[in-house]
Amino acid sequence: MFSINHILEPKTLKEAILYYDENPKLKVIAGGTDVLIHLHHGKLEDVELLSLRKINHLDEVKLQEDGTIVIGAMTTFSTLFRDKIINQYISILAEASVSMGGPQIRNIATIGGNICNGAVSADSAPSLFTLNAILRLESKKGVRMIPIQDFYEGPGKVKLLQGEILTHILITEDNYHEMKGKYIKFSNRKAMDIAMLSVAVTGQVEDEVFKDLRIALGVSAPVPVRCSKAEDYAVGKECSEETIKKIGELALSNARPRNSWRGSKPYRQHLINVLTQRAIKEIVFKGGGKDDEKN
Amino acid sequence: MKEKVIGNRASRLDAVSKVTGKAKYTDDFFEREMLVGKVLRSPHAHALIKHIDVSKAKSLEGVEAVITHEDLPKIKFATAGHPWSLDPNHRDVADRLILTDKARYVGDSIAAVVATDHLTAEKAIKLIEVEYEVLPHVLDAEEAIKPDAPTIHDEKKDNIISSFGQAFGDIEQDFQQADYIMEGVYETSIVQHCHLENHTAYAYKDTDGRIVIVTSTQIPHIVRRVVSQALGLSWGKVRVIKPYIGGGFGNKQDVVIEPLTAAMTLSVNGKPVRYQLSREECFIGTRTRHAIKFYMKTALSKDNRLKAIHIKAFSNNGAYASHGHSIIMSASSKFRPLYHFNSVKVEPKTVYTNLPTAGAMRAYGVPQICFALESHLDDICKKLKLNPIEFRKRNLISLGHVDPLSKIKVRSFGIPECIQKGKELIKWDEKKKSYENQTGEKRRGLGMACFSYFSGTHPVGLELAGARIVMNQDGSIQLQVGATEIGQGSDTAFAQMAAEVLGISMDMVRVISTQDTDIAPFDTGAYASRQTYVSGAAVKKAALEVKDKVLKIASRKTGLKVEDLDIVDKQIVEKDLGTPLCSLEEIAMLSYYDRIHAEPIKSDTSENIRTNAVAYGVTFAEVLVDMVTGKIEVLEIYNVHDSGTIINPSLAEGQVHGGVSMALGYALSEKLMFDEKTGRPLNHNLLDYKLQTILDTPKIGVGFVETYEPTGSFGQKSIGENPAISPAPAIRNAVLDATGVQFNKLPMNPQAVFEKFKDEGLL
Ligand SMILES: Cc1cc2nc3c(=O)[nH]c(=O)nc-3n(C[C@H](O)[C@H](O)[C@H](O)COP(=O)(O)OP(=O)(O)OC[C@H]3O[C@@H](n4cnc5c(N)ncnc54)[C@H](O)[C@@H]3O)c2cc1C
């Protein structure tokens, strides 16, 4: 039994925004796979919910004429990992999506909820960080567009202003064109698990040289992070075994992993290094690099 | 042609009702205006309760009662699901109150609320004010027996529940004469059963003033006894009903929530109250599997024969005794009829700590000792450069072996064939060769481990079973047993036995699956893998009695002697010729309606089994170890069992699949963790407690070597718990083979592997 006082189920975004403006105490609920867990654990009580599930067209993936991929905040992970556009242009997000929970969770959990919940282990985050995703936020005051890197504030904390709803996630063409990506989720189990550590790499290799390389880590700091030092080092370098080794080591400099019973700090540091290398080798291989570097 | 039913892949009797959702479990039954019970649990690992103020909780609207230890009888009782012993020295430790007067672990039950609904009950729980005096706590078994450790129960000042051990032979002499002496320390972790259905029950007073409890239990008759004892009632005043249950694995071979559920209904004048545990509560408030640390020391002769073994064991029992010392006693008896030793000495200590209570869990101490022993044997082989399979084969006991202490005789012995079969299934020799001298990031390895296990608890416990049969007018029967179906398939196996004896088809046997202590025959329940062996004997006896009655009527009808008659395919036949004489239905009709001799055919029998049968098995495993991340993947795993006659191969395979799957988690990922400083549980939910998913589970290969056990009613031995025993050491030995690293502690999760690889300089 959950401690829910009532639930509003607007049919349009406009209506939702009005409700939210009138009553800032409302708790937004999308798929509810985080919200209900908070209720179950007593972290939320006597809530008044604002559900986004009845709003049309917030659960679609579209390719705009300018090449921007637009993902509705209510798109579920099941939709995402099967979606043609996602698989064709940003398969890294499909990989991340299918690594989420299990079939039942993927059928209901939304990408918007994943982002707004602000977990450091959120499986969509590292990939979206490497794709320089832009978030479209809307409130009665208007629309804000902010890069996902600026959205995360701390564990479980995101920069949603009062009355704001995340409506879409945008990825512009220059951020995926000719790029390859790889997401590695490291967890104890192959399903129904949260990442102990995760690494996303998106990049472009041309003539065995890193033309572009973006690395993002999950569960490696209070918020998901990009590894700017390692990225800066990589660009323009030949993708040799030594370069990749060095990139792995440099990835650590942007990370501040915690020591916890879920995983020790030394272990997480080790994983950041070796998994970054593995992910890079994957894209070097996918990008037509040296075959023998695949393992 | 007499068709055999034993050995058939008969479908489960409950298959359709379960998959269609029609089977009714405890939570599917409702009474009018059912109230809800909830418990306030201790936030401290060890604390005196100075004062409890329930006034605010009581005055909350919707709250019907709030109870604490002060409202209940001051009777200490024992909870273990063992048959009652008339000998006071052979009883379980009575160290519990229904609600405690001292907090002994984080989660201990301090007070209970009965309210109209969950949310009100939860609110009321928060309004109870408890004044604690926090005491120092101890979590580790070896720490708890140090002289300055805090005392957890005043009745056992040194925290030792028992240190009763077992020994035979001249161990000192064997060690003096040994050519090699090998030592090793092995340790297992606290894990939990994680049955799908959490503990749940409801209770009410019936119009006669008796307490009726509907509960998810493996042991209804024992629940009746323990609830009566806890409340100081005459045993006949309590009625327990057990419907379908969603798994138990030993965690419901214990009387966990029923005494409190009964107390809850009494506190509201007998109105119905439901008390359900959440998953989080189930992890800490029920039972766990004992973490045991073993110090093994083994004497060997130059010709690589085992001579003596000396085992010191520290068994972490948590806050209350529950099954207590029986676990380590079971472990130290059941490993013995496998390898030959001149002398054995087991010195165990079962110790109280400020942790959740450990109790029975699938294979009752044996997964722990098997991990220690079988790991130890591979460590010996590594040191002496021996082939682990040949070494084991060389040291096996043989048919006819009699254990010097228990006097249990080995009357069927299929382990040599099991080993051979397993070796072939996994292609041991071929793979061994190709995995020599690996150097890559990912390495493969092979390992194996053997086990022996009993069928029931004889000679330690009473092994009484009851069965009852009523024949209907059409020759079909109702079979009623006291033994409980808990998902293992026992009802189906019993039906096959009855059908086999009576020459009828499976659809003519209806097993009454619900046990109601008012009407079910007496049987102590589902545990110790006893059912097919022990209760199966009662079913056979009941069926034979019915058969005899049928044939007597047939004899009267045909003029032939009973000895010359048989029932085959629902027909009465002349035995030697096989010619049908009349239908079984005709006989059944006579039993009901014959104007002179009518007497419906029925039987009501008990069997007191005073033998035991040793079952055997082996696991072969192949692993892939990621030397960089520390991840271990099981690529192939085979369990080959000697469980005597296999009554139903599909059901037996089901037991193996489930058991191996449990053991995979035990080996690789499961561990209930606690904060050292506070004793608080860290991962008591299914996200953080790494129970394996189907995607983590390799294809589980199953093999049987069918021996015939002369003491089994159909040649059968145990199979239920057995598959969970040997996979963990087999996987551990495969990792040793792949990496050269000895993992002496379970589980081998990535974090633990990383740390060990670091220690060994591999990373
Ligand atoms: C069994 C299980 C397994 C899981 N496994 C994983 C996993 O593997 N990986 C992983 O990353 N997560 C996992 N999760 C967590 C969860 O499923 C995800 O975070 C999911 O994406 C949340 O989406 P939702 O739609 O259910 O969000 P909700 O629970 O509805 O909402 C989450 C939060 O976001 C806010 N919110 C939601 N949508 C919006 C919006 N459009 N605008 C503003 N605020 C919004 C809500 O107010 C709330 O604070 C798991 C959860 C469960 C129960």
Side-chain angles (χ1 to χ4, degrees):
Chain A
M1 223 187 245
F2 296 108
S3 180
I4 298 169
N5 286 353
H6 70 261
I7 179 161
L8 295 167
E9 299 181 286
K11 294 213 172 58
T12 63
L13 186 59
K14 209 169 154 191
E15 215 185 323
I17 282 165
L18 281 179
Y19 278 138
Y20 206 7
D21 185 63
E22 277 163 23
N23 181 3
K25 276 202 321 223
L26 288 176
K27 177 72 190 163
V28 172
I29 183 165
T33 58
D34 284 315
V35 170
L36 292 181
I37 299 288
H38 293 322
L39 279 164
H40 177 68
H41 288 157
K43 285 184 204 154
L44 281 176
E45 262 181 342
D46 294 327
V47 285
E48 299 169 57
L49 296 174
L50 174 62
S51 168
L52 308 182
R53 278 172 64 81
K54 297 227 163 122
I55 300 173
N56 284 330
H57 309 304
L58 264 189
D59 57 353
E60 295 167 352
V61 180
K62 280 195 186 137
L63 185 60
Q64 287 182 359
E65 260 170 41
D66 66 356
T68 303
I69 297 170
V70 181
I71 303 167
M74 291 298 289
T75 312
T76 65
F77 286 99
S78 289
T79 303
L80 278 172
F81 93 80
R82 294 194 182 106
D83 185 85
K84 270 209 187 107
I85 298 168
I86 301 288
N87 280 286
Q88 188 174 345
Y89 300 110
I90 46 173
S91 62
I92 185 170
L93 189 59
E95 280 182 280
S97 301
V98 79
S99 79
M100 265 273 310
Q104 296 91 335
I105 292 294
R106 289 195 291 270
N107 281 343
I108 186 116
T110 65
I111 186 165
N114 199 233
I115 296 169
C116 294
N117 192 53
V120 290
S121 58
D123 275 311
S124 66
S127 308
L128 292 174
F129 269 57
T130 66
L131 294 167
N132 290 327
I134 307 283
L135 307 182
R136 183 184 179 282
L137 307 163
E138 191 172 341
S139 70
K140 184 126 181 276
K141 293 206 186 85
V143 172
R144 274 201 308 150
M145 303 281 251
I146 71 164
I148 192 166
Q149 284 97 312
D150 299 339
F151 189 59
Y152 279 81
E153 219 174 347
K157 266 203 207 137
V158 292
K159 289 181 193 154
L160 273 172
L161 303 179
Q162 202 170 73
E164 241 174 13
I165 289 173
L166 169 66
T167 65
H168 297 91
I169 298 118
L170 290 79
I171 295 150
T172 55
E173 192 177 7
D174 54 325
N175 281 301
Y176 67 81
H177 185 66
E178 301 273 308
M179 301 267 199
K180 306 282 168 194
K182 176 71 194 170
Y183 180 62
I184 299 181
K185 170 176 181 172
F186 193 84
S187 53
N188 268 278
R189 293 187 285 227
K190 288 183 180 159
M192 299 301 282
D193 212 348
I194 49 166
M196 181 196 276
L197 196 113
S198 55
V199 179
V201 170
T202 294
Q204 191 182 354
V205 176
E206 220 176 73
D207 301 328
E208 291 180 15
V209 167
F210 289 111
K211 212 176 151 203
D212 193 350
L213 191 69
R214 303 154 185 188
I215 305 163
L217 306 172
V219 210
S220 303
V223 293
V225 288
R226 278 278 290 268
C227 301
S228 50
K229 274 214 178 126
E231 294 176 5
D232 292 346
Y233 170 82
V235 174
K237 297 245 170 20
E238 197 198 346
C239 33
S240 66
E241 191 73 44
E242 295 98 275
T243 315
I244 294 173
K245 214 169 154 210
K246 183 79 188 162
I247 299 172
E249 282 161 22
L250 283 174
L252 279 169
S253 51
N254 289 82
R256 279 187 288 140
R258 271 183 68 198
N259 210 6
S260 87
W261 54 266
R262 288 198 176 96
S264 72
K265 185 173 171 180
Y267 188 33
R268 286 202 167 106
Q269 286 171 328
H270 172 75
L271 288 173
I272 291 167
N273 181 347
V274 300
L275 296 179
T276 301
Q277 294 187 46
R278 276 194 183 167
I280 294 171
K281 286 180 188 172
E282 282 280 329
I283 69 154
V284 168
F285 175 66
K286 274 195 206 168
K290 294 175 192 167
D291 274 10
D292 58 359
E293 284 182 2
K294 196 217 169 206
N295 65 42
Chain B
M1 254 294 285
K2 185 155 177 160
E3 212 185 299
K4 285 203 64 80
V5 195
I6 297 289
N8 269 2
R9 291 184 177 270
S11 319
R12 294 183 65 103
L13 301 183
D14 52 13
V16 172
S17 67
K18 280 184 173 169
V19 299
T20 54
K22 284 187 179 155
K24 284 194 171 180
Y25 296 78
T26 300
D27 287 349
D28 295 319
F29 294 90
F30 293 91
E31 298 288 328
R32 272 181 152 197
E33 290 169 20
M34 185 106 87
L35 298 168
V36 171
K38 271 250 149 219
V39 164
L40 172 71
R41 296 181 179 279
S42 168
H44 304 295
H46 200 192
L48 296 176
I49 299 167
K50 291 299 206 192
H51 182 68
I52 310 181
D53 183 352
V54 300
S55 54
K56 280 189 197 144
K58 257 190 181 152
S59 58
L60 184 72
E61 179 156 338
V63 172
E64 301 246 339
V66 182
I67 48 178
T68 72
H69 66 95
E70 286 173 14
D71 307 301
L72 297 168
K74 309 242 168 307
I75 303 171
K76 292 226 167 161
F77 62 99
T79 64
H82 293 146
W84 182 240
S85 171
L86 295 176
D87 173 5
N89 296 320
H90 194 67
R91 288 183 192 153
D92 292 303
V93 180
D95 63 358
R96 281 242 183 209
L97 292 173
I98 293 177
L99 290 167
T100 190
D101 57 1
K102 180 193 179 192
R104 295 187 173 87
Y105 72 99
V106 175
D108 212 348
S109 309
I110 309 292
V113 166
V114 179
T116 47
D117 61 84
H118 271 281
L119 293 177
T120 308
E122 257 162 34
K123 279 201 179 117
I125 288 289
K126 288 184 194 147
L127 293 174
I128 299 172
E129 290 164 5
V130 189
E131 196 188 313
Y132 293 101
E133 181 188 325
V134 177
L135 302 171
H137 65 265
V138 60
L139 307 182
D140 180 83
E142 282 171 293
E143 292 296 321
I145 55 176
K146 289 188 176 158
D148 55 348
T151 290
I152 297 168
H153 289 266
D154 288 338
E155 294 80 358
K156 308 259 184 198
K157 293 269 184 241
D158 56 2
N159 293 329
I160 297 175
I161 296 174
S162 174
S163 47
F164 188 76
Q166 304 198 26
F168 64 80
D170 189 341
I171 194 134
E172 268 159 38
Q173 187 188 319
D174 282 333
F175 271 100
Q176 268 164 23
Q177 294 175 357
D179 295 313
Y180 313 110
I181 294 176
M182 301 288 176
E183 293 187 58
V185 183
Y186 306 89
E187 207 176 341
T188 65
S189 289
I190 300 176
V191 297
Q192 229 241 354
H193 319 65
C194 297
H195 32 74
L196 207 52
E197 182 198 34
N198 290 327
H199 286 63
T200 181
Y202 72 88
Y204 59 92
K205 245 178 9 186
D206 70 10
T207 45
D208 299 333
R210 298 162 79 225
I211 300 172
V212 182
I213 307 170
V214 178
T215 180
S216 174
T217 182
Q218 301 173 220
I219 47 167
H221 278 102
I222 295 176
V223 169
R224 167 157 94 159
R225 189 248 302 163
V226 175
V227 169
S228 308
Q229 289 172 330
L231 289 166
L233 298 172
S234 191
W235 297 9
K237 292 277 184 216
V238 175
R239 174 179 170 201
V240 175
I241 299 169
K242 177 248 156 215
Y244 279 117
I245 120 169
F249 307 115
N251 205 5
K252 295 171 185 170
Q253 187 208 342
D254 211 317
V255 185
V256 180
I257 61 168
E258 295 88 351
L260 180 55
T261 314
M264 285 171 173
T265 188
L266 290 180
S267 74
V268 291
N269 209 9
K271 286 191 219 170
V273 183
R274 194 189 300 281
Y275 176 39
Q276 295 168 306
L277 299 192
S278 67
R279 178 63 65 187
E280 289 81 356
E281 284 179 296
C282 209
F283 264 110
I284 56 169
T286 62
R287 303 291 178 263
T288 61
R289 179 185 274 166
H290 292 72
I292 306 182
K293 191 168 181 183
F294 296 92
Y295 293 84
M296 316 282 280
K297 192 171 157 193
T298 303
L300 293 107
S301 62
K302 268 206 294 289
D303 59 349
N304 305 322
R305 288 193 190 275
L306 295 164
K307 289 293 166 196
I309 188 159
H310 184 184
I311 302 172
K312 283 190 187 161
F314 296 90
S315 179
N316 190 334
N317 206 88
Y320 294 95
S322 170
H323 287 251
H325 205 57
S326 311
I327 301 287
I328 195 72
M329 291 304 282
S330 154
S332 32
S333 322
K334 291 176 186 172
F335 85 90
R336 293 201 304 261
L338 180 57
Y339 303 113
H340 184 82
F341 289 101
N342 285 345
S343 55
V344 169
K345 185 169 186 179
V346 188
E347 290 182 286
K349 282 190 170 57
T350 298
V351 181
Y352 281 128
T353 60
N354 296 109
L355 286 174
T357 303
M361 179 169 165
R362 201 170 191 168
Y364 216 73
V366 182
Q368 292 96 315
I369 203 162
C370 182
F371 174 71
L373 178 66
E374 292 293 309
S375 300
H376 185 52
L377 294 185
D378 259 45
D379 290 350
I380 290 172
C381 291
K382 184 178 156 72
K383 210 158 191 181
L384 299 179
K385 300 200 167 53
L386 303 174
N387 174 326
I389 298 182
E390 294 311 315
F391 174 71
R392 283 180 174 82
K393 274 165 53 179
R394 162 176 276 257
N395 283 288
L396 290 175
I397 55 140
S398 49
L399 189 69
H401 171 92
V402 178
D403 184 83
L405 297 175
S406 68
K407 308 292 177 211
I408 290 173
K409 187 170 180 179
V410 176
R411 296 181 174 92
S412 52
F413 189 66
I415 186 85
E417 293 81 5
C418 290
I419 295 174
Q420 191 53 34
K421 195 164 180 174
K423 203 176 149 189
E424 284 162 16
L425 283 168
I426 207 158
K427 305 194 176 71
W428 179 276
D429 293 330
E430 202 179 306
K431 285 183 180 164
K432 265 287 200 196
K433 225 178 243 136
S434 68
Y435 299 163
E436 275 167 16
N437 308 320
Q438 299 172 80
T439 52
E441 269 191 7
K442 299 202 174 164
R443 294 184 204 164
R444 288 166 187 253
L446 292 174
M448 56 88 72
C450 303
F451 76 87
S452 51
Y453 200 69
F454 291 177
S455 311
T457 62
H458 179 80
V460 175
L462 170 72
E463 281 299 359
L464 189 64
R468 203 178 280 153
I469 292 175
V470 172
M471 184 169 276
N472 302 316
Q473 286 87 339
D474 58 0
S476 65
I477 60 167
Q478 277 80 251
L479 168 64
Q480 196 176 13
V481 288
T484 50
E485 166 70 59
I486 61 164
Q488 81 282 51
S490 60
D491 280 356
T492 308
F494 294 149
Q496 285 177 269
M497 293 175 185
E500 174 85 24
V501 171
L502 291 171
I504 56 179
S505 52
M506 282 292 281
D507 61 1
M508 292 173 76
V509 185
R510 194 183 152 251
V511 180
I512 298 173
S513 195
T514 300
Q515 276 74 32
D516 175 339
T517 54
D518 270 11
I519 45 178
F522 185 79
D523 184 302
T524 44
Y527 55 84
S529 303
R530 60 189 285 277
Q531 235 134 304
T532 306
Y533 182 72
V534 172
S535 307
V539 170
K540 185 176 186 183
K541 189 172 170 183
L544 284 173
E545 198 176 310
V546 164
K547 182 178 179 182
D548 188 56
K549 288 180 181 173
V550 167
L551 295 184
K552 277 196 178 121
I553 299 173
S555 160
R556 195 160 59 221
K557 180 177 156 75
T558 60
L560 292 167
K561 284 197 208 128
V562 166
E563 304 86 79
D564 298 334
L565 297 170
D566 200 359
I567 318 172
V568 175
D569 195 15
K570 298 163 244 178
Q571 303 282 323
I572 309 299
V573 299
E574 195 172 341
K575 225 187 222 164
D576 292 341
L577 304 170
T579 40
L581 301 169
C582 69
S583 68
L584 174 62
E585 186 175 354
E586 279 179 70
I587 303 297
M589 288 298 277
L590 284 175
S591 79
Y592 276 89
Y593 305 114
D594 184 290
R595 294 300 288 262
I596 297 161
H597 301 292
E599 184 184 354
I601 297 169
K602 59 193 179 309
S603 64
D604 186 356
T605 60
S606 273
E607 269 283 21
N608 183 0
I609 297 298
R610 290 163 64 206
T611 55
N612 207 322
V614 187
Y616 293 95
V618 59
T619 304
F620 279 81
E622 178 181 359
V623 297
L624 180 70
V625 184
D626 188 327
M627 302 300 291
V628 175
T629 63
K631 244 198 193 163
I632 298 168
E633 191 166 353
V634 175
L635 299 176
E636 285 186 33
I637 189 158
Y638 297 93
N639 256 39
V640 186
H641 291 265
D642 162 19
S643 291
T645 302
I646 299 300
I647 305 291
N648 183 326
S650 301
L651 289 176
E653 284 160 12
Q655 290 300 298
V656 180
H657 290 150
V660 171
S661 141
M662 276 182 117
L664 283 161
Y666 192 48
L668 296 174
S669 58
E670 291 179 43
K671 179 185 184 178
L672 201 49
M673 294 193 274
F674 298 88
D675 180 45
E676 288 289 331
K677 282 199 207 99
T678 60
R680 292 206 181 118
L682 295 170
N683 61 336
H684 54 308
N685 61 68
L686 290 174
L687 172 61
D688 293 313
Y689 179 87
K690 305 299 181 186
L691 191 71
Q692 303 225 315
T693 72
I694 194 68
L695 290 186
D696 302 299
T697 311
K699 189 166 177 286
I700 296 166
V702 186
F704 295 109
V705 169
E706 285 200 55
T707 57
Y708 190 89
E709 167 60 36
T711 64
S713 48
F714 295 91
Q716 77 274 32
K717 304 193 272 189
S718 62
I719 182 69
E721 296 163 289
N722 313 20
I725 298 172
S726 51
I731 293 165
R732 179 268 186 198
N733 291 339
V735 175
L736 172 67
D737 183 46
T739 65
V741 179
Q742 296 169 341
F743 283 89
N744 291 357
K745 196 171 173 179
L746 291 178
M748 299 175 281
N749 63 12
Q751 174 78 43
V753 175
F754 166 74
E755 284 167 18
K756 187 86 183 166
F757 280 181
K758 273 249 163 211
D759 289 349
E760 302 274 327
L762 290 170
L763 283 174

